[in-house]
Amino acid sequence: MEPERWARVEELWHASLQVASGERAAFLKEACRDDEELRREVESLLAHEKSAVDFIEAPAFEVVARLMAHDKVDRSETDRLLIGKTIAHFRVLEKLGAGGMGEVYRARDVRLDRIVAIKVLPRGELANEEAQRRFQREARLISKLSHPHICTIYDVGSEGGLQFIVMEYLEGETLASRLARGPLPFAQILQHGIEIADALEKAHRAGIIHRDLKPGNIMLTKAGAKLLDFGLARIARPEPAATMSAIAGQPTVESAVTGTGSIIGTLQYMAPEQLEGRETDARTDIFAFGSVLYEMATGQRAFQGKSQASMIAAILSSEPTPLLQLSPLSPPALDRLVRTCLAKDPDQRLQNVHDIRVQLEWTRDAASQAGLPPVTVGRRITRERVAWASAAVLLCAFAVTLGLLVLQPHSQPQGRVMVAIDPPQGYKMGNLESGGPIALSPDGAQVAYAAHDSKGTVSLWVRSLDSLSPRRLEGSESSTEIYGFVWSPDSKGVIANPGGKLVKLSAVGGANVTLCDSFDGLPSSVNDEGTVLACSPSWWSRPSPLQDERPPGKMN
Amino acid sequence: MEAPRSHEVTGLLRAWSAGDEEALRKLTPLVYRELHRAARHYMAGERPSHTLQATGLINEVYLRLIDVGRMDWQNRAHFFAVCAQLMRRILTDFARSRRYQKRGGGVAHMPLDEALVVGSQPDRELVELDDALKRLMLVDERKSRVVELRFFGGLDVKETAEVLKVSPETVMRDWKLAKVWLVRELSGGERRGA
């Protein structure tokens, strides 16, 4: 940028700060006149003003010293001291991982002779005795939460200055590591969503807010989802959470590069009110739950940013990419639910988890009536499963579930999309008696399938993957069953044999093209040049099909 | 390596600012020693007291690095400016190597939310900030120096003004705009995987 121009940007930026925020737009419009670029530049700087408030307020030296402290505690000290040792009556066996509040180890309770997980807080995590007492008190309160989808806390204690929590040992993987492999199938999203909602509901009724709900705190086990670390975020640091505004008042403490420093919990899933240091309540968990549902459906975080500062800006001011855009075949009800959970203003969200659970159950029931396959828990997602889901398509009379291995052209991780395709209103899926196939267009954007109405008329339908309503292909109505239909190589039409004719039915609203007037065969494949291979069912029962061979139809 | 004595430090700083990279190699352990000292405070769970402000902390470091009685620098300002550059270099190198180790250590792709209490974030941000600061220098050199002096050098507004020979008000104005510019620069709409 030219120095004069930059000087002008600077001048306008400072001047805008003197103007009330509601009048800035008008002020800039006036000041920049026709210079749109100048106005945009100043406005984009103004947009980041709030998130820059605490940015780099703590010196780099301190940030690095804290990093070093963290590395030391993390790697050497605790591990070296603990593994093989006994804390109270727990023999520490191995490290399982590290979470927001300390390291987690697998341990044996030597008194009860059972395996437990033990979470050890880093030394100095609790500043003084009062904080330690509060920690113990509140952890006991949480240990009273007994729910099949909440990881049970057995005990809390301290020994030799180490604070620890003993809890149920869970086998499985965290939702976070599961999500690293891509989005979850729709049925699992609902199942786990309902389990999580049920757990949250129980806790909220007991007056306990999680405050750090995120995929890393959800374990997927054989018995379903289990929530970890309930309410611990609050206990560990009872002072107003790690928020920008809270920290602004404590210049030297907790500040990392962005000034947010030793963050409790995870920024990505924090609600706007948490980040702004305002009061949090059950609706704070609802926001985080919305983010988790979003991520389960899309495989992407609802809010993204390169740095903590930009992450905070995203949560406070931007809307996530619409769920249906990333996962077009998700049920609209889920999209709506997630959006309502992610409202910036807590008053605009769904107000309690009970309502969310009911909506999720309703969505699940609607789906299962439509013939979604039952959920199998804890089963690895494999190609066989996809094939199994595809096989279900053929058997299912009302709806089909389509498993697609979507190969994205760019560097996106490979993911699997699981979609439910409902029959058009007033129709049932497939042919009258024998079901019917479903075909994906060569460009991967549409699916074609047969459906029949109550009068027994079969027709072909096409649904674009980014829309929710199917379209009937004009001219596809047939009083007999429609089987082998194939997509034309350009994805613009479907070749089928309704009413005894071989026709290329336009899927883009154009005219149909009759390829062969009298035809009782099944189109079974088409090559890039448009040559259609079709076969007559009568061949199947005859020993010498060549006698009866019809010339293959050539597309125009 | 034997750490240089404090009276040697001034000489090393001067040599480094004149382009002697070998001097940096000798200065680095000194700064590391101070970092470890501060880190131990944090590990012991000592919350910095109210009297020990952040700038106080780093000034203390400078005092220990340099024997003030023997300080024969023509002016404090130059000393601070060189110290800020030194800190920037050493601290970002630390962050860079820490990131490298984390990645090299089998953590291929550490999702942000798996980061620990003070997780893998700050080091990454330090590295990115260092790069962004280089870009800021092309747009507005003085603002990039304000950030270097305050954030990396740990100087307060008055000291920064002294180094740059401008008024403290100007430093504050520069500081505010530079922070916003940098935040915008660092936020540039990341998309996972794309």
Side-chain angles (χ1 to χ4, degrees):
Chain A
M1 192 180 293
E2 297 296 313
E4 299 78 32
R5 191 152 179 88
W6 172 241
R8 181 82 182 123
V9 169
E10 187 173 358
E11 182 193 342
L12 279 174
W13 183 75
H14 284 294
S16 305
L17 288 181
Q18 306 301 318
V19 178
S21 55
E23 289 153 30
R24 278 180 199 165
F27 167 78
L28 279 176
K29 208 165 178 191
E30 168 69 24
C32 299
R33 292 201 188 84
D34 297 334
D35 197 341
E36 276 294 300
E37 206 187 313
L38 179 68
R39 185 176 60 80
R40 271 201 302 275
E41 174 71 12
V42 178
E43 275 179 351
S44 93
L45 287 170
L46 285 170
H48 288 86
E49 203 230 333
K50 206 169 167 187
S51 41
V53 170
D54 294 301
F55 179 68
I56 57 173
E57 283 293 334
F61 182 86
E62 191 190 322
V63 174
V64 170
R66 282 186 178 278
L67 270 177
M68 280 186 166
H70 179 261
D71 287 352
K72 286 183 189 189
V73 172
D74 181 36
R75 288 205 201 115
S76 53
E77 195 190 45
T78 333
D79 283 358
R80 189 163 43 76
L81 290 177
L82 286 181
I83 292 179
K85 299 279 167 61
T86 304
I87 311 175
H89 53 282
F90 303 98
R91 178 168 291 275
V92 180
L93 302 173
E94 61 170 329
K95 186 167 174 171
L96 293 173
M101 259 186 57
E103 280 72 48
V104 185
Y105 301 85
R106 195 164 68 90
R108 175 174 296 281
D109 179 338
V110 292
R111 277 196 206 154
L112 295 173
D113 193 28
R114 64 175 172 185
I115 295 293
V116 297
I118 182 164
K119 178 174 261 190
V120 180
L121 271 60
R123 271 175 216 278
E125 180 73 17
L126 301 173
N128 52 42
E129 280 183 25
E130 166 56 26
Q132 288 171 13
R133 271 197 299 275
R134 182 165 41 210
F135 170 75
Q136 303 253 335
R137 199 167 57 227
E138 297 209 26
R140 283 203 184 91
L141 188 74
I142 294 160
S143 72
K144 295 200 168 62
L145 271 183
S146 165
H147 187 277
H149 296 296
I150 296 176
C151 174
T152 311
I153 292 188
Y154 296 138
D155 204 356
V156 282
S158 68
E159 194 174 272
L162 281 178
Q163 305 280 327
F164 60 87
I165 305 166
V166 185
M167 54 199 169
E168 189 181 354
Y169 174 70
L170 299 171
E171 274 181 276
E173 65 174 340
T174 65
L175 177 59
S177 63
R178 167 61 190 83
L179 281 170
R181 300 197 300 273
L184 269 61
F186 173 52
Q188 274 187 25
I189 298 174
L190 292 176
Q191 183 209 331
H192 295 321
I194 290 165
E195 291 163 355
I196 296 165
D198 203 53
L200 284 175
E201 191 178 343
K202 167 107 182 190
H204 288 175
R205 280 186 203 280
I208 297 168
I209 316 282
H210 193 299
R211 285 193 179 83
D212 190 20
L213 186 64
K214 59 180 178 184
N217 272 340
I218 298 167
M219 281 286 277
L220 303 180
T221 71
K222 282 186 184 151
K226 293 256 190 183
L227 296 195
L228 308 177
D229 286 359
F230 237 101
L232 294 182
R234 161 79 165 254
I235 301 180
R237 254 166 263 205
E239 58 266 52
T243 63
M244 312 257 304
S245 45
I247 280 163
Q250 313 170 294
T252 63
V253 192
E254 317 288 53
S255 301
V257 179
T258 53
T260 47
S262 332
I263 281 291
I264 304 166
T266 312
L267 276 178
Q268 276 107 334
Y269 305 93
M270 280 194 178
E273 66 271 21
Q274 242 171 329
L275 292 171
E276 286 174 345
R278 285 186 281 130
E279 231 169 83
T280 56
D281 56 28
R283 296 173 301 177
T284 309
D285 281 352
I286 289 178
F287 184 91
F289 188 30
S291 300
V292 170
L293 286 171
Y294 180 96
E295 199 169 332
M296 286 203 274
T298 64
Q300 282 194 18
R301 302 222 164 86
F303 302 99
Q304 308 193 18
K306 266 189 182 170
S307 62
Q308 295 191 348
S310 63
M311 176 67 66
I312 289 167
I315 294 173
L316 293 181
S317 55
S318 67
E319 296 298 328
T321 312
L323 192 144
L324 284 176
Q325 192 176 317
L326 295 170
S327 171
L329 296 164
S330 292
L334 183 66
D335 173 54
R336 221 168 24 243
L337 178 69
V338 169
R339 262 188 293 133
T340 325
C341 291
L342 289 177
K344 308 284 179 212
D345 178 356
D347 290 338
Q348 302 300 317
R349 289 177 209 148
L350 279 169
Q351 296 294 295
N352 59 64
V353 192
H354 175 80
D355 292 350
I356 300 178
R357 183 173 58 81
V358 170
Q359 286 203 24
L360 286 170
E361 282 172 351
W362 184 86
T363 313
R364 178 195 59 188
D365 295 345
S368 70
Q369 277 166 17
L372 267 181
V375 181
T376 41
V377 181
R379 192 149 140 195
R380 282 188 56 124
I381 309 300
T382 58
R383 279 173 184 275
E384 288 85 331
R385 178 99 192 268
V386 175
W388 171 82
S390 303
V393 166
L394 298 171
L395 300 171
C396 178
F398 301 102
V400 275
T401 299
L402 171 62
L404 296 176
L405 273 168
V406 177
L407 303 164
Q408 303 240 358
H410 303 296
S411 55
Q412 292 276 354
Q414 270 189 25
R416 192 169 68 97
V417 181
M418 188 101 171
V419 300
I421 296 178
D422 296 326
Q425 204 159 12
Y427 282 76
K428 289 184 173 175
M429 282 313 249
N431 285 306
L432 293 171
E433 285 171 7
S434 42
I438 178 161
L440 180 69
S441 63
D443 64 5
Q446 301 179 87
V447 286
Y449 53 89
H452 64 275
D453 64 15
S454 57
K455 292 181 202 137
T457 305
V458 182
S459 47
L460 281 179
W461 294 72
V462 163
R463 180 174 142 183
S464 160
L465 290 187
D466 58 9
S467 102
L468 294 163
S469 46
R471 284 177 294 113
R472 190 175 60 200
L473 294 180
E474 289 304 320
S476 67
E477 300 82 358
S478 169
S479 56
T480 54
E481 305 201 325
I482 303 178
Y483 281 111
F485 48 87
V486 287
W487 280 93
S488 64
D490 60 5
S491 296
K492 287 184 179 159
V494 176
I495 298 146
N497 63 340
K501 285 180 186 177
L502 185 64
V503 185
K504 182 189 176 192
L505 300 159
S506 173
V508 290
N512 293 340
V513 178
T514 303
L515 302 176
C516 192
D517 262 331
S518 170
F519 184 77
D520 70 345
L522 304 177
S524 61
S525 74
V526 53
N527 74 2
D528 284 348
E529 289 164 357
T531 304
V532 180
L533 178 68
C535 59
S536 160
S538 51
W539 297 350
W540 300 337
S541 55
R542 293 198 184 182
S544 50
L546 284 176
Q547 293 168 9
D548 222 31
E549 190 178 14
R550 291 167 190 274
K554 174 104 178 165
M555 273 173 58
N556 299 345
Chain B
M1 195 202 315
E2 181 79 10
R5 289 167 192 277
S6 77
H7 66 268
E8 294 167 345
V9 172
T10 38
L12 286 171
L13 277 172
R14 199 173 282 149
W16 179 63
S17 70
D20 179 2
E21 285 292 308
E22 180 62 18
L24 178 72
R25 210 171 59 79
K26 289 185 179 157
L27 284 165
T28 304
L30 275 178
V31 174
Y32 267 58
R33 193 181 66 196
E34 293 305 320
L35 281 167
H36 282 293
R37 185 197 296 265
R40 275 196 301 276
H41 282 276
Y42 294 126
M43 278 165 63
E46 289 171 24
R47 308 274 158 171
S49 66
H50 293 296
T51 51
L52 184 61
Q53 294 298 310
T55 47
L57 179 74
I58 199 156
N59 275 334
E60 200 182 305
V61 171
Y62 292 148
L63 287 178
R64 269 203 300 269
L65 280 178
I66 305 221
D67 183 348
V68 187
R70 288 167 176 270
M71 193 165 125
D72 55 352
W73 289 73
Q74 291 147 348
N75 59 60
R76 252 162 54 96
H78 188 201
F79 165 71
F80 280 140
V82 174
C83 278
Q85 280 169 24
L86 178 77
M87 285 291 179
R88 177 173 173 186
R89 177 73 187 270
I90 291 176
L91 297 176
T92 43
D93 280 354
F94 169 82
R96 211 167 264 128
S97 70
R98 184 177 184 272
R99 287 199 66 197
Y100 179 77
Q101 280 171 10
K102 286 237 156 191
R103 277 182 298 184
V107 189
H109 175 77
M110 192 174 182
L112 259 74
D113 67 315
E114 292 305 284
L116 305 177
V117 187
V118 179
S120 59
Q121 269 290 76
D123 52 4
R124 172 175 157 178
E125 292 192 341
L126 268 176
V127 175
E128 283 171 2
L129 180 77
D130 183 53
D131 292 339
L133 213 47
K134 287 175 193 151
R135 296 194 289 275
L136 178 59
M137 196 168 86
L138 300 176
V139 178
D140 191 327
E141 192 190 338
R142 194 180 65 205
K143 287 184 184 49
S144 80
R145 292 203 66 202
V146 167
V147 173
E148 183 175 83
L149 291 164
R150 295 210 61 200
F151 179 62
F152 287 105
L155 303 192
D156 64 21
V157 175
K158 224 177 110 210
E159 287 161 339
T160 308
E162 194 184 323
V163 174
L164 295 176
K165 301 189 174 61
V166 293
S167 71
E169 290 72 29
T170 303
V171 168
M172 250 352 258
R173 282 165 67 91
D174 278 358
W175 175 241
K176 271 174 90 171
L177 182 53
K179 289 205 309 173
V180 169
W181 192 93
L182 289 166
V183 165
R184 186 182 65 173
E185 194 72 4
L186 294 179
S187 54
E190 183 192 40
R191 275 278 106 129
R192 235 210 293 180

